[in-house]
Short mmCIF file of all heavy atoms in Angstrom, two decimals:
data_model
loop_
_atom_site.label_atom_id
_atom_site.label_comp_id
_atom_site.label_asym_id
_atom_site.label_seq_id
_atom_site.Cartn_x
_atom_site.Cartn_y
_atom_site.Cartn_z
N ASN O 1550 -22.45 7.33 -8.05
CA ASN O 1550 -21.86 7.65 -6.75
C ASN O 1550 -20.40 7.24 -6.58
O ASN O 1550 -19.70 7.82 -5.76
CB ASN O 1550 -22.66 6.96 -5.64
CG ASN O 1550 -23.73 7.85 -5.07
OD1 ASN O 1550 -23.52 9.05 -4.95
ND2 ASN O 1550 -24.87 7.27 -4.76
N GLY O 1551 -19.96 6.22 -7.28
CA GLY O 1551 -18.58 5.78 -7.07
C GLY O 1551 -18.52 4.26 -6.92
O GLY O 1551 -19.52 3.56 -7.10
N TYR O 1552 -17.30 3.80 -6.62
CA TYR O 1552 -17.10 2.36 -6.46
C TYR O 1552 -17.00 2.02 -4.98
O TYR O 1552 -16.40 2.77 -4.20
CB TYR O 1552 -15.81 1.94 -7.18
CG TYR O 1552 -15.91 2.11 -8.68
CD1 TYR O 1552 -15.37 3.22 -9.31
CD2 TYR O 1552 -16.58 1.16 -9.44
CE1 TYR O 1552 -15.47 3.38 -10.68
CE2 TYR O 1552 -16.67 1.32 -10.83
CZ TYR O 1552 -16.12 2.42 -11.43
OH TYR O 1552 -16.22 2.58 -12.80
N PHE O 1553 -17.57 0.88 -4.61
CA PHE O 1553 -17.66 0.51 -3.20
C PHE O 1553 -17.31 -0.96 -3.00
O PHE O 1553 -17.45 -1.77 -3.92
CB PHE O 1553 -19.07 0.79 -2.67
CG PHE O 1553 -19.38 2.27 -2.60
CD1 PHE O 1553 -19.79 2.96 -3.73
CD2 PHE O 1553 -19.22 2.98 -1.41
CE1 PHE O 1553 -20.05 4.33 -3.69
CE2 PHE O 1553 -19.47 4.35 -1.35
CZ PHE O 1553 -19.88 5.03 -2.49
N VAL O 1554 -16.85 -1.26 -1.78
CA VAL O 1554 -16.51 -2.65 -1.43
C VAL O 1554 -17.10 -2.94 -0.06
O VAL O 1554 -17.17 -2.03 0.79
CB VAL O 1554 -14.97 -2.86 -1.43
CG1 VAL O 1554 -14.28 -1.98 -0.40
CG2 VAL O 1554 -14.60 -4.32 -1.20
N ILE O 1555 -17.51 -4.16 0.16
CA ILE O 1555 -18.05 -4.52 1.48
C ILE O 1555 -16.88 -4.73 2.45
O ILE O 1555 -15.97 -5.52 2.20
CB ILE O 1555 -18.93 -5.78 1.40
CG1 ILE O 1555 -20.13 -5.50 0.48
CG2 ILE O 1555 -19.41 -6.18 2.80
CD1 ILE O 1555 -21.13 -6.64 0.37
N ASP O 1556 -16.91 -3.99 3.55
CA ASP O 1556 -15.82 -3.98 4.53
C ASP O 1556 -15.94 -5.15 5.50
O ASP O 1556 -17.03 -5.68 5.74
CB ASP O 1556 -15.84 -2.67 5.31
CG ASP O 1556 -14.62 -2.53 6.19
OD1 ASP O 1556 -13.52 -2.32 5.65
OD2 ASP O 1556 -14.75 -2.68 7.43
N LYS O 1557 -14.80 -5.46 6.11
CA LYS O 1557 -14.78 -6.57 7.08
C LYS O 1557 -15.52 -6.25 8.38
O LYS O 1557 -15.79 -7.15 9.17
CB LYS O 1557 -13.33 -6.98 7.39
CG LYS O 1557 -12.56 -5.97 8.21
CD LYS O 1557 -11.21 -6.55 8.64
CE LYS O 1557 -10.58 -5.65 9.68
NZ LYS O 1557 -9.22 -6.03 10.04
N ASP O 1558 -15.88 -4.99 8.62
CA ASP O 1558 -16.67 -4.66 9.81
C ASP O 1558 -18.15 -5.01 9.63
O ASP O 1558 -18.96 -4.79 10.53
CB ASP O 1558 -16.54 -3.17 10.15
CG ASP O 1558 -15.22 -2.85 10.81
OD1 ASP O 1558 -14.54 -3.81 11.24
OD2 ASP O 1558 -14.85 -1.66 10.89
N THR O 1559 -18.50 -5.54 8.48
CA THR O 1559 -19.86 -6.00 8.23
C THR O 1559 -20.26 -7.06 9.25
O THR O 1559 -19.46 -7.91 9.61
CB THR O 1559 -19.92 -6.58 6.79
OG1 THR O 1559 -19.90 -5.49 5.89
CG2 THR O 1559 -21.16 -7.42 6.55
N THR O 1560 -21.52 -6.98 9.73
CA THR O 1560 -22.04 -8.00 10.66
C THR O 1560 -23.18 -8.73 9.97
O THR O 1560 -23.60 -8.35 8.88
CB THR O 1560 -22.58 -7.35 11.95
OG1 THR O 1560 -23.68 -6.50 11.58
CG2 THR O 1560 -21.50 -6.53 12.64
N SER O 1561 -23.74 -9.73 10.67
CA SER O 1561 -24.83 -10.49 10.05
C SER O 1561 -26.05 -9.61 9.85
O SER O 1561 -26.90 -9.91 9.02
CB SER O 1561 -25.17 -11.71 10.91
OG SER O 1561 -25.46 -11.26 12.21
N SER O 1562 -26.14 -8.49 10.58
CA SER O 1562 -27.34 -7.66 10.43
C SER O 1562 -27.07 -6.35 9.70
O SER O 1562 -27.98 -5.59 9.43
CB SER O 1562 -27.92 -7.36 11.81
OG SER O 1562 -26.94 -6.74 12.60
N ARG O 1563 -25.82 -6.06 9.37
CA ARG O 1563 -25.54 -4.76 8.75
C ARG O 1563 -24.37 -4.83 7.79
O ARG O 1563 -23.25 -5.21 8.18
CB ARG O 1563 -25.19 -3.77 9.86
CG ARG O 1563 -25.20 -2.32 9.41
CD ARG O 1563 -26.61 -1.81 9.40
NE ARG O 1563 -26.68 -0.37 9.22
CZ ARG O 1563 -27.83 0.31 9.23
NH1 ARG O 1563 -28.97 -0.34 9.41
NH2 ARG O 1563 -27.85 1.61 9.05
N LEU O 1564 -24.63 -4.45 6.53
CA LEU O 1564 -23.53 -4.36 5.58
C LEU O 1564 -22.83 -3.02 5.76
O LEU O 1564 -23.48 -1.99 5.95
CB LEU O 1564 -24.06 -4.43 4.14
CG LEU O 1564 -24.57 -5.77 3.63
CD1 LEU O 1564 -25.18 -5.59 2.23
CD2 LEU O 1564 -23.44 -6.80 3.58
N VAL O 1565 -21.50 -3.04 5.72
CA VAL O 1565 -20.71 -1.81 5.79
C VAL O 1565 -19.92 -1.70 4.49
O VAL O 1565 -19.19 -2.62 4.11
CB VAL O 1565 -19.74 -1.84 6.98
CG1 VAL O 1565 -18.86 -0.59 7.00
CG2 VAL O 1565 -20.50 -1.99 8.30
N PHE O 1566 -20.09 -0.59 3.79
CA PHE O 1566 -19.39 -0.38 2.52
C PHE O 1566 -18.29 0.67 2.67
O PHE O 1566 -18.49 1.69 3.32
CB PHE O 1566 -20.36 0.13 1.45
CG PHE O 1566 -21.23 -0.95 0.85
CD1 PHE O 1566 -22.45 -1.27 1.43
CD2 PHE O 1566 -20.82 -1.64 -0.28
CE1 PHE O 1566 -23.26 -2.26 0.88
CE2 PHE O 1566 -21.62 -2.63 -0.83
CZ PHE O 1566 -22.83 -2.94 -0.25
N ASN O 1567 -17.14 0.42 2.06
CA ASN O 1567 -16.10 1.44 1.92
C ASN O 1567 -16.20 2.03 0.53
O ASN O 1567 -16.30 1.27 -0.44
CB ASN O 1567 -14.69 0.81 1.99
CG ASN O 1567 -14.39 0.25 3.34
OD1 ASN O 1567 -14.80 0.81 4.36
ND2 ASN O 1567 -13.67 -0.87 3.37
N GLN O 1568 -16.07 3.34 0.44
CA GLN O 1568 -15.90 3.90 -0.90
C GLN O 1568 -14.47 3.62 -1.34
O GLN O 1568 -13.50 3.96 -0.65
CB GLN O 1568 -16.16 5.40 -0.94
CG GLN O 1568 -16.01 5.89 -2.38
CD GLN O 1568 -16.46 7.33 -2.59
OE1 GLN O 1568 -16.19 8.21 -1.80
NE2 GLN O 1568 -17.17 7.55 -3.68
N ILE O 1569 -14.32 2.96 -2.48
CA ILE O 1569 -12.99 2.67 -3.01
C ILE O 1569 -12.45 3.94 -3.67
O ILE O 1569 -11.35 4.41 -3.35
CB ILE O 1569 -13.03 1.53 -4.05
CG1 ILE O 1569 -13.73 0.30 -3.48
CG2 ILE O 1569 -11.61 1.19 -4.51
CD1 ILE O 1569 -14.04 -0.78 -4.53
N VAL O 1570 -13.24 4.49 -4.56
CA VAL O 1570 -12.80 5.66 -5.32
C VAL O 1570 -14.04 6.27 -5.96
O VAL O 1570 -15.03 5.58 -6.20
CB VAL O 1570 -11.74 5.21 -6.37
CG1 VAL O 1570 -12.36 4.37 -7.47
CG2 VAL O 1570 -10.96 6.38 -6.95
N ALA O 1571 -13.98 7.58 -6.17
CA ALA O 1571 -15.11 8.26 -6.82
C ALA O 1571 -15.12 7.91 -8.32
O ALA O 1571 -14.16 7.35 -8.84
CB ALA O 1571 -14.99 9.76 -6.63
N LEU O 1572 -16.20 8.27 -8.99
CA LEU O 1572 -16.29 7.94 -10.42
C LEU O 1572 -15.41 8.83 -11.28
O LEU O 1572 -14.84 8.38 -12.26
CB LEU O 1572 -17.73 8.11 -10.91
CG LEU O 1572 -18.75 7.10 -10.42
CD1 LEU O 1572 -20.12 7.46 -10.98
CD2 LEU O 1572 -18.34 5.68 -10.84
N ARG O 1573 -15.28 10.07 -10.87
CA ARG O 1573 -14.59 11.05 -11.71
C ARG O 1573 -13.08 10.81 -11.67
O ARG O 1573 -12.51 10.56 -10.62
CB ARG O 1573 -14.88 12.46 -11.20
CG ARG O 1573 -14.71 13.55 -12.23
CD ARG O 1573 -15.17 14.87 -11.59
NE ARG O 1573 -14.35 15.16 -10.41
CZ ARG O 1573 -13.25 15.90 -10.44
NH1 ARG O 1573 -12.83 16.41 -11.57
NH2 ARG O 1573 -12.57 16.15 -9.33
#
Side-chain angles (χ1 to χ4, degrees):
N1550 267 324
Y1552 294 99
F1553 292 82
V1554 62
I1555 298 183
D1556 188 72
K1557 71 172 191 187
D1558 283 346
T1559 286
T1560 62
S1561 55
S1562 57
R1563 194 82 169 182
L1564 288 174
V1565 177
F1566 282 89
N1567 293 324
Q1568 182 170 43
I1569 307 169
V1570 69
L1572 290 179
R1573 203 175 60 92

